[in-house]
Amino acid sequence: MSDTQTQAPASDVPTLLVKIFGKDRPGITAGLFDTLAAYSVDVVDIEQVVTRGRMVLCALVTEPPRGLEGELRSTVHSWAESMKMQAEIISGIGDNRPRGLGRSLVTVLGHPLTAEATAAIAARITKTGGNIDRIFRLAKYPVTAVEFAVSGVETAPLRTALVTDAAALGVDVAVVAAGLHRRAQRLIVMDVDSTLIQDEVIELFAAHAGCEEQVAEVTAAAMRGELDFEQSLHARVALLAGLDASVVEKVRREVRLTPGARTLIRTLKRLGYQVGVVSGGFTQVTDDLKARLGLDFAQANTLEIVDGKLTGRVTGEIVDRAGKARLLRRFAAEAGVPLAQTVAIGDGANDLDMLNAAGLGVAFNAKPVVREAAHTAVNVPFLDTVLYLLGVTREEVEAADTHDED
């Protein structure tokens, strides 16, 4: 920036708010400022919104030289009428009022997003002392996602207030601090079973061993936090003893990615983010997913195989609840990303330490205990909706896909 900086108008300088509204068409913005240019005004602020083909264009400008305001008003109204638009001009003093301390971005996901839920969210923001400075739609499908820029209240109490209401309103709400960090490089770390993929991998193995029902019961109890994960892991894996190692390739083919998983990872990689997975499952599957999806990091437990057979044991360090948080920190250090710039996504109780350690913890179609403890929850079956929590719009995703096809 140069030594000579443009200063905002003094608080006592007269200004005019020029508002144009009507059917959108090319040339409106250029035409308005061409009209204003004849009166030697300076632009203080501009805001333009187009909704279903209807435009609202606001320009805050300095007052014209003495004696020309009446002529400016008349000229702007005549120009607007010629464009089949309406104009409103309001006199005032100075710039917009300063935004309050504490700035946050509130992302609301609805499927659908009802007027009742929107009203409740807006009212809760006001009740916490916040002011809505701007609202922007991020996506219209597969969910409706809108972002509120809020000032005047700190992020933590705002998050607590809104997330508490979200479940009752049938929407998902994420609250993050606004600032440059949102555009910085990030690390995204996901759980695998029932998050990145639709399946529980150990149950896929168990189906080949004829003990699927027994394993599923233990898995469900562990995910609810009713059983120690490591003990339940050893108990379930023991039931797989004697399976031929060829079952690994069969299970890999049976794994089903969660809808939106490829889009999420592809888009994150285009943005320059690093992406990893941590799993209480098995490296025999996560290593394959890492290669197929171009992941940067992957860590899981390893099924022991001896003489072409599963032994019913795992080898190496166990990836459990504490291990997932430890791996998040390790991946962040290797990626050179501050922990505050990490995002963790998971669904089970063994993901809780990781979700709480991350800068943003996202409970994805999670168990109640996880939804209540995470920073935010996503309760729609599309993994790529996490992109909206990062401020990425659906149009940006589609534009990137189209560019790749050219």
Side-chain angles (χ1 to χ4, degrees):
M1 184 176 291
S2 65
D3 292 336
T4 303
Q5 299 182 349
T6 301
Q7 300 294 319
S11 59
D12 59 350
V13 171
T15 52
L16 298 177
L17 174 61
V18 181
K19 182 168 73 172
I20 305 296
F21 48 99
K23 185 177 180 180
D24 186 31
R25 63 175 64 84
I28 298 296
T29 304
L32 172 62
F33 286 98
D34 276 343
T35 302
L36 294 173
Y39 296 91
S40 301
V41 298
D42 296 329
V43 177
V44 178
D45 197 3
I46 309 172
E47 187 96 21
Q48 179 174 310
V49 177
V50 178
T51 304
R52 211 179 68 177
R54 308 296 292 184
M55 166 195 276
V56 178
L57 169 61
C58 294
L60 185 64
V61 299
T62 55
E63 190 179 62
R66 186 177 300 275
L68 293 180
E69 181 179 336
E71 182 181 333
L72 179 149
R73 287 174 176 269
S74 176
T75 302
V76 168
H77 279 286
S78 296
W79 169 82
E81 185 176 348
S82 72
M83 300 298 292
K84 299 182 179 179
M85 307 283 283
Q86 293 178 272
E88 182 180 3
I89 303 175
I90 304 171
S91 298
I93 300 295
D95 196 354
N96 302 310
R97 65 179 178 83
R99 294 180 182 178
L101 296 177
R103 297 181 187 178
S104 304
L105 297 172
V106 178
T107 305
V108 181
L109 309 180
H111 189 56
L113 179 59
T114 66
E116 178 184 11
T118 306
I121 292 295
R124 175 61 72 177
I125 290 172
T126 301
K127 190 173 181 179
T128 62
N131 184 73
I132 300 171
D133 300 318
R134 185 170 299 173
I135 305 175
F136 177 72
R137 187 179 73 181
L138 296 167
K140 59 182 178 182
Y141 70 91
V143 299
T144 300
V146 295
E147 181 179 271
F148 295 75
V150 177
S151 62
V153 61
E154 295 299 329
T155 299
L158 180 62
R159 176 188 292 145
T160 299
L162 292 178
V163 171
T164 300
D165 290 350
L169 295 171
V171 297
D172 298 326
V173 177
V175 183
V176 299
L180 290 175
H181 67 277
R182 203 177 194 203
R183 299 183 180 89
Q185 184 191 49
R186 287 194 175 189
L187 169 68
I188 317 295
V189 176
M190 288 176 276
D191 173 44
V192 175
D193 294 8
S194 299
T195 300
L196 178 63
I197 65 174
Q198 300 177 59
D199 313 281
E200 292 288 333
V201 168
I202 196 166
E203 293 178 13
L204 297 180
F205 278 101
H208 291 281
C211 57
E212 184 178 11
E213 186 174 334
Q214 294 168 267
V215 166
E217 290 175 0
V218 179
T219 299
M223 292 302 98
R224 290 193 300 267
E226 297 171 3
L227 293 176
D228 173 80
F229 178 80
E230 183 171 349
Q231 291 178 336
S232 70
L233 175 67
H234 289 304
R236 289 175 290 172
V237 171
L239 297 171
L240 308 181
L243 270 179
D244 192 275
S246 62
V247 75
V248 169
E249 189 56 42
K250 295 176 183 177
V251 168
R252 286 175 174 175
R253 290 196 298 267
E254 291 168 351
V255 164
R256 300 167 299 161
L257 292 174
T258 297
R262 288 187 184 277
T263 299
L264 172 67
I265 294 170
R266 182 174 63 245
T267 305
L268 291 171
K269 297 294 289 181
R270 286 172 179 158
L271 291 170
Y273 293 2
Q274 297 188 60
V275 185
V277 294
V278 291
S279 176
F282 310 110
T283 57
Q284 282 83 356
V285 171
T286 57
D287 287 351
D288 180 61
L289 289 170
K290 180 181 180 183
R292 285 167 50 194
L293 300 173
L295 301 173
D296 299 285
F297 305 97
Q299 188 70 42
N301 301 303
T302 299
L303 292 169
E304 184 180 61
I305 299 175
V306 176
D307 297 329
K309 301 287 184 180
L310 273 65
T311 66
R313 296 187 293 272
V314 291
T315 63
E317 182 183 2
I318 297 298
V319 179
D320 57 7
R321 175 169 170 166
K324 287 188 173 186
R326 185 169 57 251
L327 287 165
L328 171 71
R329 293 186 176 92
R330 182 192 304 173
F331 294 167
E334 292 177 10
V337 174
L339 199 60
Q341 292 299 117
T342 63
V343 178
I345 310 168
D347 74 297
N350 64 329
D351 296 314
L352 275 173
D353 288 3
M354 175 178 72
L355 297 181
N356 290 328
L360 177 64
V362 180
F364 181 74
N365 292 315
K367 284 60 175 180
V369 66
V370 183
R371 289 200 303 269
E372 292 168 7
H375 297 140
T376 189
V378 171
N379 295 299
V380 294
F382 313 107
L383 193 56
D384 54 337
T385 55
V386 172
L387 291 167
Y388 309 143
L389 306 184
L390 305 177
V392 180
T393 69
R394 192 72 199 180
E395 288 79 5
E396 289 170 328
V397 174
E398 294 174 350
D401 285 342
T402 301
H403 179 75
D404 275 4
E405 293 171 1
D406 291 343

